[in-house]
């Protein structure tokens, strides 16, 4: 027995020594063959924001003053219960924003950088208890309720009602842009130290968000129209990591050149305006309501069917080569027409300003039936009825800026009606060069970080031309990867930011969030009409695609159109 145990021990020792070698005289058994595993797909980390629900929001709001970053001086921290209704002071009569979610309302000032001459920035923020993990910065506008009513105006006619706060965004609104411009002796050339007010406001807001929620925002978005749209582009150019997605509606890309266009149009409209008893031109009567309606109908007659449906919209802005000569009165057409001098004035105004050699100084204006809308008249001519050149909001404001804001050196006596396009144009060289540099600034860094830009513009915008935004998109497309960074959507019939005979209720915010976080580049944005066009819906298409009728289905429904 002892010999058998010793033998067994020796065999085991040999087996252990050899490990994988055979330890018996039997042939080795084949290893089992495993089925090949499914290949492992490695995906990039999700860019989607992570929501957060606060159980102690009321206590956090009460203590937010102690947690605010040092650059912030909080004057107010108020907990707002869900469903609170707010009247919007300064907005159109009867507009209330109700059913706001539970949130902490914070107001105060943000100190400008030490080396900056900008005064303290006035801001307002709203921090929802049910947070979607995103930060929303609201661009500047002329509205007096912007700062105090920081709910996150989105885009189009539903901007106040369909707001970012109700969607769960933490929202910032500030007067940083106005403060920056006021502190600069050359507002047209936004100085680096003055523009840094925008950066200061955004950084302070992010710091307050982190202090309140215990984590920074996962994603950040900026939405603005006109000057607010320009703010967004300034962020993309100078601080490309500040915002992941930007929606710029009717951005003011070249303010000095736009002022030249205003002067150019004003002079032509004044030339055909009737005179009051004091011999002053009555600009608001240069074109009657009926005459602009004649123009709108003529545009529809020539261009409405280009998209395959006569539906009251000119969807093909580029294809509309309107012949204004057909507006002229003649022996056979004494009614529903315009005099030759008015046809000439309108054609020259719509073509945009030119220098003495005939070179374009700004973009032309699209021919769109939205020029008969009250908002177009309010900006370009003033309200119908007795009045003067001062009635026109845009023309008067932009034209007066020629000397006070854009001329070098500033000259308050220089204005639209005495501006000489041959003699005085060199005085705007510095401002126009600054505009050109802003227009050509690359966005590769912004796009390289995953940033995405949505540009939206109304075809009947009387303040800044939709063709200028299209030119900007072309500029971006010419750069490497530019078409992957930005897309432009034209809204037929829409005036400045909203309004006009258009489908101006659209959701560009969701489109840019999906693009940033889910890599779903928008192929179309659904839009509905407002006001008298509530039953109309159309797709907004990324330029140069056009919403074209499929040939069947209701011509008034978006489902009957495709973008091509």
């Amino acid at each position: 027995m002892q010999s058998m145990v010793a033998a067994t021990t020796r065999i085991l020792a040999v087996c252990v020594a050899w490990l994988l070698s055979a330890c018996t005289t039997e042939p080795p058994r084949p290893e089992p063959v495993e089925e090949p595993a499914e290949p492992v797909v490695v995906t990039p980390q999700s860019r989607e924001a992570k929501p957060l629900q606060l159980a102690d929001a009321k206590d956090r709001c009460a203590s937010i003053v102690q947690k605010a970053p040092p650059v912030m001086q909080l004057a107010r921290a108020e907990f707002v219960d869900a469903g609170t209704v707010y009247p919007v002071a300064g907005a159109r009569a009867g507009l209330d924003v109700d059913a706001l979610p539970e949130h902490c309302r914070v107001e105060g000032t943000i100190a400008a950088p030490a080396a900056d001459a900008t005064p303290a920035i006035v801001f307002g923020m709203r921090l929802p208890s049910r947070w979607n993990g995103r930060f929303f910065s609201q661009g500047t506008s002329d509205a007096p309720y912007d700062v105090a009513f920081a709910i996150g105006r989105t885009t189009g006619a539903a901007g106040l009602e369909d707001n970012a706060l109700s969607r769960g965004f933490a929202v910032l609104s500030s007067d940083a842009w106005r403060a920056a411009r006021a502190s600069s002796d050359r507002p047209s050339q936004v100085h680096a130290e003055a523009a840094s007010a925008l950066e200061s406001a955004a950084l302070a807001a992010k710091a307050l968000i982190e202090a309140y929620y215990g984590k920074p925002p996962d994603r950040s978005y900026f939405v603005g129209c006109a000057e607010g749209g320009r703010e967004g582009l300034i962020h993309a150019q100078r601080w490309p990591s500040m915002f992941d997605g930007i929606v710029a509606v009717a951005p003011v890309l070249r303010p000095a050149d736009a002022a030249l266009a205003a002067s150019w149009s004003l002079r032509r409209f004044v030339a055909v305006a009737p005179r009051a008893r004091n011999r002053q031109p009555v600009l608001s009567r240069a074109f009657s309501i009926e005459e602009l309606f004649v123009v709108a109908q003529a545009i529809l007659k020539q261009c409405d069917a280009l998209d395959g449906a006569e539906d009251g919209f000119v969807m093909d802005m580029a294809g509309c080569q309107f012949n204004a000569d057909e507006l002229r009165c003649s022996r056979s057409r004494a009614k529903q027409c315009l005099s030759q001098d008015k046809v000439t004035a309108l054609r020259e105004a719509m073509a945009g300003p030119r220098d003495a050699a005939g070179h374009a100084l700004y973009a032309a204006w699209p021919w769109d039936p939205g020029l008969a809308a009250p908002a177009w008249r309010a900006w370009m001519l003033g309200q119908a009825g007795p009045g003067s050149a001062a009635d026109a909001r845009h023309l008067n404001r932009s034209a007066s800026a020629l000397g006070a804001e854009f001329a070098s050196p500033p000259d308050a006596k220089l204005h639209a009606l005495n501006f000489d396009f041959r003699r005085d144009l060199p005085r705007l060289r510095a401002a126009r060069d600054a505009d050109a540099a802003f227009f050509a600034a690359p966005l590769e860094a912004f796009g390289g970080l995953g940033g995405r830009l949505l540009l939206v513009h109304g075809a009947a915008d009387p303040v800044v031309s939709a063709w200028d935004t299209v030119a900007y998109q072309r500029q971006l497309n010419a750069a490497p990867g530019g078409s992957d960074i930005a897309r432009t959507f034209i809204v037929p019939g829409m005036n400045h930011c909203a309004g006009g005979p258009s489908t101006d209720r659209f959701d560009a915010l969701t489109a840019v969030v999906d693009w940033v976080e889910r890599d779903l580049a928008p192929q179309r944005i659904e839009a509905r009409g407002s006001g008298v066009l509530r039953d109309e819906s159309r797709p907004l298409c990324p330029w140069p695609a056009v919403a074209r009728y499929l040939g069947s289905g209701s011509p008034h429904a978006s489902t009957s159109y495709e973008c091509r």
Side-chain angles (χ1 to χ4, degrees), residues 189-484:
Q189 305 173 49
V190 183
H191 291 175
E193 64 273 15
S196 66
L198 297 174
E199 181 191 30
S200 298
L203 289 175
K206 288 187 176 184
L208 186 65
I209 288 172
E210 184 170 7
Y212 186 71
Y213 294 107
K215 72 164 194 170
D218 296 315
R219 294 287 167 255
S220 299
Y221 296 91
F222 186 99
V223 175
C225 183
E227 291 283 7
R230 183 180 177 90
E231 289 177 47
L233 295 177
I234 289 175
H235 280 293
Q237 291 176 6
R238 298 194 180 194
W239 310 288
S241 64
M242 187 70 74
F243 293 101
D244 301 289
I246 294 169
V247 178
V249 183
V252 181
L253 297 166
R254 299 188 289 174
D257 290 346
L260 282 173
S263 173
W264 179 270
S265 298
L266 177 61
R267 294 162 72 110
R268 276 140 189 83
F269 293 159
V270 164
V272 297
R275 303 282 165 167
R277 290 184 178 179
N278 61 2
R279 305 306 301 162
Q280 294 299 310
V282 184
L283 179 61
S284 61
R285 294 172 57 194
F287 294 90
S288 67
I289 294 174
E290 293 75 18
E291 285 174 325
L292 289 182
F293 183 76
V294 167
V295 177
Q297 291 302 304
I299 294 171
L300 287 172
K301 182 179 179 180
Q302 292 187 31
C303 301
D304 187 357
L306 293 175
D307 57 18
E310 294 186 12
D311 57 347
F313 293 91
V314 176
M315 309 298 288
D316 191 352
M317 188 175 80
C320 183
Q321 303 297 316
F322 180 68
N323 181 8
D325 287 335
E326 294 190 12
L327 294 168
R328 275 186 318 198
C329 296
S330 63
R331 290 182 179 179
S332 60
R333 185 185 181 188
K335 296 181 179 180
Q336 301 294 305
C337 59
L338 272 63
S339 63
Q340 178 60 61
D341 58 343
K342 290 193 176 185
V343 171
T344 300
L346 188 61
R347 182 197 293 113
E348 291 182 355
M350 296 294 284
R354 296 183 177 273
D355 62 16
H359 299 130
L361 299 172
Y362 186 62
W365 303 86
W367 289 98
D368 187 279
L371 59 76
W376 191 93
R377 167 178 286 280
W379 281 99
M380 296 292 277
L381 300 173
Q383 298 298 334
S388 66
D391 288 341
R393 294 173 60 195
H394 170 54
L395 291 182
N396 185 62
R397 182 190 308 173
S398 298
S400 64
L402 281 174
E405 185 170 339
F406 301 117
S408 296
D411 182 357
K413 295 181 179 180
L414 183 65
H415 56 82
L417 294 181
N418 67 11
F419 185 87
D420 188 310
F421 277 78
R422 182 188 299 272
R423 180 194 65 216
D424 296 323
L425 192 60
R427 302 173 67 180
L428 273 61
R429 181 173 299 159
R432 298 188 69 230
D433 286 348
D435 285 356
F438 176 85
F439 194 89
L443 295 184
E444 281 89 346
F446 175 70
L449 293 169
R452 297 295 180 260
L453 169 66
L454 277 187
L455 299 159
V456 183
H457 210 127
D461 190 323
V463 183
V464 282
S465 172
W467 281 124
D468 209 37
T469 296
V470 168
Y472 185 67
Q473 177 71 66
R474 289 193 181 112
Q475 177 82 25
L476 295 176
N477 289 351
S483 59
D484 298 326

Side-chain angles (χ1 to χ4, degrees), residues 63-269:
S63 62
I64 191 63
V65 174
Q66 289 77 35
K67 296 179 181 179
V71 295
M72 279 185 164
Q73 294 294 321
L74 302 190
R76 176 180 191 168
E78 171 193 18
F79 187 76
V80 180
D81 292 324
T84 302
V85 178
Y86 281 91
V88 184
R92 62 181 183 270
L95 176 61
D96 293 336
V97 178
D98 57 8
L100 292 179
E102 179 183 285
H103 67 277
C104 181
R105 178 184 181 184
V106 180
E107 293 177 359
T109 59
I110 300 170
D116 196 341
T118 304
I121 301 161
V122 179
F123 80 95
M125 287 192 72
R126 296 185 186 246
L127 307 166
S129 302
R130 186 183 293 274
W131 183 41
N132 65 12
R134 302 179 180 100
F135 166 45
F136 181 104
S137 183
Q138 177 175 296
T140 297
S141 80
D142 293 330
Y145 50 81
D146 263 356
V147 172
F149 209 77
I151 62 171
R153 289 179 298 103
T154 53
T155 48
L160 283 171
E161 300 145 14
D162 181 22
N163 58 77
L165 176 65
S166 294
R167 299 190 191 189
F169 288 79
V171 177
L172 164 73
S173 182
S174 78
D175 72 345
W177 180 247
R178 282 190 285 263
R181 289 177 65 86
S183 69
S184 172
D185 60 352
R186 293 289 305 162
S188 64
Q189 305 173 49
V190 183
H191 291 175
E193 64 273 15
S196 66
L198 297 174
E199 181 191 30
S200 298
L203 289 175
K206 288 187 176 184
L208 186 65
I209 288 172
E210 184 170 7
Y212 186 71
Y213 294 107
K215 72 164 194 170
D218 296 315
R219 294 287 167 255
S220 299
Y221 296 91
F222 186 99
V223 175
C225 183
E227 291 283 7
R230 183 180 177 90
E231 289 177 47
L233 295 177
I234 289 175
H235 280 293
Q237 291 176 6
R238 298 194 180 194
W239 310 288
S241 64
M242 187 70 74
F243 293 101
D244 301 289
I246 294 169
V247 178
V249 183
V252 181
L253 297 166
R254 299 188 289 174
D257 290 346
L260 282 173
S263 173
W264 179 270
S265 298
L266 177 61
R267 294 162 72 110
R268 276 140 189 83
F269 293 159

